[in-house]
Amino acid sequence: MHYSFNIERGNFTDAGQASSSVKRTLKQLGVDPVNIKRTVVALFEAEINAVAHAYGGRIDVDIDGEKIVMVVADEGPGIPNLDLAMQEGWSTASAKVREMGYGAGMGLPNIKKNTDDLKIDTQVGVGTTVTMTVYLT
Amino acid sequence: MPSEETYFKHSLRVNDYLCQGCTTCMRTCPTRAIRIRGGKAIISDNKCVDCGECIKVCPHKAIYIKQDDFGLLFNYKYRVCLVPTTFIGQFEEKYKTRAIYSCIKKLGFTHIYEVEHEVSRMVDLYNLYMDEHPELTTFISPYCPAVTRLIQVRFPSLVDNVIHVRAPLELASRVITKRLMDEGASRPSIGVFYVTPCAAKIAAVKYPVSGKETYVSGVINMDFLYNKVLLMLHDSDKLTQPINHTLSSRDVLWPLSGGEAPHFRGAHYAVDGLRNVLEFLEKLEDEAVDAPGLVEMRICDQGCVGGVLTTNNRFVARKRLEYRARLFERLEHSKIRETGSDDCSLTDEMVDVMTIPEIKPRSIYKLNDDFAEAFKMAERMKKIEKALPGVNCSACGAPSCAALAEDIVRGDAGIDTCIFINRHSQASEDAIRSIWGDRVKTKEINKDNNGYDSQGNH
Ligand SMILES: Nc1ncnc2c1ncn2[C@@H]1O[C@H](COP(=O)(O)OP(=O)(O)O)[C@@H](O)[C@H]1O
Ligand SMILES: [Mg+2]
């Protein structure tokens, strides 16, 4: 099963549609609530990053008989130092983004924690593609 | 529909004579539990959470709550009226609480016991669960039975966040029964009748989530008792029966939204009204809100004063209850009030009676227990949903196109029922007839004098 969604730059309020839609499907499949939560949290964080740090992008979700693969690809500044970005608490979020309640620097670490497989392709000045896999059964 | 195991039972009923199949309830139901079949609304037992929204929106008053026969009362020697303070909130301030209670006694009750006497013990019970579960940060009050059921069916990941304690009325009925037995009454001679503001509390008594025995013998709808008492208040001469008031002003307000807050230290949230409850649960489930502490949730706006069986406007009732609470406060201070001999301690036996061992997840979304099968069904459902018009007209007898798609993959409906897809086929005609019954005939009236309808079909 395939789903795709657009991500709009700076649109925090509409973010989360992809994760709620995925959540609905996982509930239909009777996926364990713990795995649903892991999936939803990871997808939401990746989407928020594309909204907050990049210029929007696209989400592609594929569910098959055993796993869910979520690809969040954006056009944006890229991540110059990935090791640093993966550290808890590290954030370059603007004051404005922080005011909105984001930018605690926990997004990427949380994605790492909640997924079974994580791949980040990033190129400075071009964009970032985050590929996340969660095994459902 | 294919038969499946029923976990839930309800006291909500559809009056087939009054029901017009107008789809209003079906479109409102938060768990999509209603379908139209044979031109009438039918409610699915496993999906319904007794929130009462369908009753509130029905323009034909066709949905009602079955209550116990009042005459049952007289099967018992000791007849206890178990009343929540929501009831006195229904009455104008000019009526004294003791006058209201005198009327209740005149109707045949030998004792009156207010549920809110159990507030302090309920607080202890909540705290016990919270102390036993340090791994959880958010706790949901078990006060509103409709919220618990809603969580079971729509937010199963949150079942453990619900404090595993039965409703206060269960404790109250047990305490008063025990007290009468201590005074020499035999258990079978005691009848405890709860005055309910809503359908959910009835279901909680009759078909408990805990699966445990109840001390409540019967349930009386609040509007029924209100009408009886009001009549008596009007033509009463002397109503001087003394009533033992031992409720504190804080206890009086317990059924209102926000009523539990003053009893707890720490962070607290009061969420009331169906839409708000759904939104908050959705956020909690996604961890999109960080809500450490106690979340008090009431399906009805303003709390129990918004219950479907109350008779007066919920904002007015709230104000009246607040007035009475202030009055009780003055009584407390001036010590006019008889001091209660009530023992507030919580015994091990009470803890045992009140604890719910497990609140089971009962997801209404899950398509199949087998993942592979569920996957196939979900895939098909997605395709069907795409093929459907998406106008949510409800002519198929389902609340939305998405719901129809689900019904189709579950085998509960055929694609022929979509009037957009099968506009002119005989199969569609037959399918529509099975949903709407005789009402399909009205089509004949719409044909013009030449026997042609607007589409030119004969
Ligand atoms: N999609 C992205 N494009 C560019 N930079 C990103 C992206 N995602 C994350 N980053 C960088 O990594 C840092 C850490 O990300 P994260 O752990 O999600 O914390 P936060 O978003 O709260 O800052 C961000 O502050 C940002 O500098
Ligand atoms: Mg982030």
Side-chain angles (χ1 to χ4, degrees):
Chain A
M1 257 177 296
H2 180 86
Y3 298 83
S4 58
F5 308 87
N6 277 324
I7 308 170
E8 230 181 284
R9 178 184 191 176
N11 192 342
F12 287 92
T13 40
D14 279 359
Q17 264 172 20
S19 36
S20 9
S21 165
V22 164
K23 184 171 84 173
R24 207 178 316 127
T25 303
L26 297 184
K27 278 186 173 183
Q28 288 164 359
L29 299 179
V31 170
D32 177 52
V34 174
N35 280 338
I36 296 183
K37 207 174 263 181
R38 291 173 66 215
T39 309
V40 168
V41 167
L43 182 56
F44 186 72
E45 288 292 353
E47 183 181 1
I48 284 293
N49 278 354
V51 172
H53 307 298
Y55 321 135
R58 191 184 145 89
I59 300 175
D60 283 286
V61 177
D62 273 289
I63 307 171
D64 67 17
E66 51 164 14
K67 63 183 183 302
I68 179 166
V69 180
M70 301 168 281
V71 181
V72 180
D74 67 54
E75 285 171 21
I79 306 172
N81 188 337
L82 198 54
D83 286 340
L84 210 53
M86 291 303 296
Q87 282 180 16
E88 290 192 4
W90 167 262
S91 175
T92 62
S94 66
K96 218 167 121 196
V97 168
R98 280 167 204 265
E99 237 165 65
M100 295 171 80
Y102 303 97
M106 294 301 292
L108 289 174
N110 266 337
I111 293 174
K112 177 84 195 150
K113 208 170 63 194
N114 284 298
T115 52
D116 295 312
D117 190 57
L118 171 66
K119 203 170 106 219
I120 301 176
D121 295 311
T122 184
Q123 211 180 328
V124 174
V126 180
T128 304
T129 299
V130 179
T131 307
M132 302 164 285
T133 305
V134 175
Y135 287 90
L136 298 174
T137 50
Chain B
M1 290 193 187
S3 61
E4 49 179 337
E5 193 194 338
T6 347
Y7 322 117
F8 298 146
K9 283 187 186 158
H10 311 273
S11 54
L12 289 179
R13 298 283 183 277
V14 178
N15 180 326
D16 276 350
Y17 180 72
L18 294 175
C19 177
Q20 305 292 306
C22 71
T23 77
T24 311
C25 58
M26 182 170 80
R27 290 155 178 267
T28 306
C29 176
T31 57
R32 302 193 312 198
I34 303 176
R35 296 292 181 275
I36 307 289
R37 293 291 182 268
K40 309 290 173 195
I42 57 160
I43 305 173
S44 152
D45 284 340
N46 281 350
K47 292 182 184 168
C48 174
V49 298
D50 300 290
C51 70
E53 278 308 294
C54 53
I55 304 179
K56 289 178 192 165
V57 299
C58 177
H60 307 289
K61 306 236 171 296
I63 306 178
Y64 64 99
I65 296 171
K66 199 174 141 262
Q67 68 175 343
D68 289 315
D69 178 8
F70 194 70
L72 270 182
L73 194 65
F74 299 98
N75 292 346
Y76 302 90
K77 180 163 173 231
Y78 301 92
R79 302 177 288 273
V80 182
C81 183
L82 190 62
V83 60
T85 56
T86 308
F87 186 65
I88 52 169
Q90 302 304 304
F91 293 89
E92 276 180 64
E93 288 89 336
K94 69 177 182 194
Y95 297 115
K96 293 209 160 56
T97 308
R98 66 164 54 181
I100 296 165
Y101 287 173
S102 299
C103 291
I104 294 181
K105 282 203 171 170
K106 276 200 171 168
L107 285 168
F109 288 98
T110 57
H111 296 77
I112 292 173
Y113 193 67
E114 291 143 318
V115 181
E116 289 73 17
H117 281 294
E118 299 311 317
V119 167
S120 71
R121 272 190 281 254
M122 289 304 294
V123 171
D124 291 345
L125 285 163
Y126 284 18
N127 283 328
L128 265 181
Y129 187 82
M130 294 196 268
D131 290 346
E132 275 169 17
H133 293 274
E135 78 282 7
L136 299 171
T137 51
T138 300
F139 293 93
I140 300 170
S141 157
Y143 184 90
C144 176
V147 169
T148 303
R149 293 237 154 138
L150 185 67
I151 290 171
Q152 285 182 282
V153 303
R154 272 192 65 165
F155 306 94
S157 66
L158 297 174
V159 287
D160 286 335
N161 297 81
V162 180
I163 293 172
H164 282 37
V165 170
R166 300 166 80 191
L169 69 101
E170 296 292 351
L171 184 56
S173 59
R174 186 222 159 266
V175 167
I176 187 70
T177 302
K178 200 81 199 298
R179 187 175 305 166
L180 291 173
M181 285 168 73
D182 288 346
E183 287 167 14
S186 70
R187 174 88 199 267
S189 69
I190 305 168
V192 180
F193 289 80
Y194 175 68
V195 182
T196 186
C198 66
K201 304 242 190 209
I202 304 186
V205 170
K206 305 233 162 186
Y207 319 106
V209 169
S210 66
K212 286 186 172 175
E213 174 198 27
T214 181
Y215 286 81
V216 178
S217 327
V219 178
I220 300 164
N221 290 357
M222 191 170 282
D223 54 353
F224 173 87
L225 191 67
Y226 173 83
N227 288 329
K228 290 213 167 228
V229 168
L230 191 65
L231 271 177
M232 291 169 74
L233 279 169
H234 276 310
D235 48 44
S236 65
D237 28 41
K238 258 202 225 119
L239 295 162
T240 49
Q241 190 134 18
I243 305 289
N244 184 24
H245 282 310
T246 55
L247 286 183
S248 80
S249 55
R250 286 196 321 184
D251 298 345
V252 173
L253 300 176
W254 177 265
L256 297 177
S257 177
E260 291 169 273
H263 301 268
F264 292 91
R265 265 177 280 127
H268 186 276
Y269 315 79
V271 184
D272 61 324
L274 177 65
R275 302 289 144 217
N276 296 330
V277 166
L278 285 173
E279 183 191 325
F280 204 88
L281 289 173
E282 200 82 48
K283 294 255 154 79
L284 268 183
E285 193 178 56
D286 294 351
E287 294 183 345
V289 288
D290 188 24
L294 180 70
V295 183
E296 181 186 316
M297 285 194 175
R298 312 288 163 91
I299 280 279
C300 295
D301 187 22
Q302 303 297 313
C304 293
V305 288
V308 69
L309 292 172
T310 60
T311 46
N312 279 294
N313 178 277
R314 56 195 178 279
F315 301 101
V316 173
R318 182 176 193 114
K319 185 207 71 175
R320 288 174 178 170
L321 218 46
E322 282 164 352
Y323 167 84
R324 289 195 198 262
R326 282 197 300 277
L327 208 67
F328 280 35
E329 198 169 12
R330 246 177 287 146
L331 291 174
E332 272 171 75
H333 289 315
S334 59
K335 299 230 191 300
I336 290 172
R337 195 182 93 157
E338 297 165 58
T339 40
S341 55
D342 285 11
D343 173 13
C344 293
S345 62
L346 188 68
T347 64
D348 287 349
E349 194 236 337
M350 287 176 188
V351 174
D352 193 48
V353 165
M354 290 300 289
T355 305
I356 303 174
E358 188 191 2
I359 300 178
K360 288 203 173 79
R362 299 290 192 194
S363 173
I364 51 171
Y365 297 108
K366 202 204 279 186
L367 293 169
N368 203 292
D369 285 333
D370 177 63
F371 183 84
E373 187 55 34
F375 186 79
K376 261 191 254 163
M377 289 168 79
E379 231 171 5
R380 209 176 141 229
M381 192 170 139
K382 205 179 160 218
K383 275 194 202 123
I384 294 169
E385 213 183 317
K386 250 191 203 143
L388 293 173
V391 296
N392 300 325
C393 70
S394 295
C396 60
S400 63
C401 294
L404 175 62
E406 185 174 334
D407 287 356
I408 292 170
V409 297
R410 287 185 190 275
D412 295 339
I415 190 123
D416 289 332
T417 56
C418 177
I419 59 167
F420 281 81
I421 288 184
N422 293 303
R423 270 186 294 269
H424 309 299
S425 76
Q426 183 59 44
S428 173
E429 174 90 32
D430 295 344
I432 293 296
R433 197 172 290 280
S434 78
I435 297 160
W436 294 100
D438 291 342
R439 302 186 61 200
V440 180
K441 273 194 214 124
T442 54
K443 192 180 158 200
E444 305 292 326
I445 301 162
N446 294 334
K447 287 189 177 178
D448 63 27
N449 292 339
N450 302 324
Y452 290 91
D453 63 21
S454 52
Q455 243 123 61
N457 299 321
H458 200 69

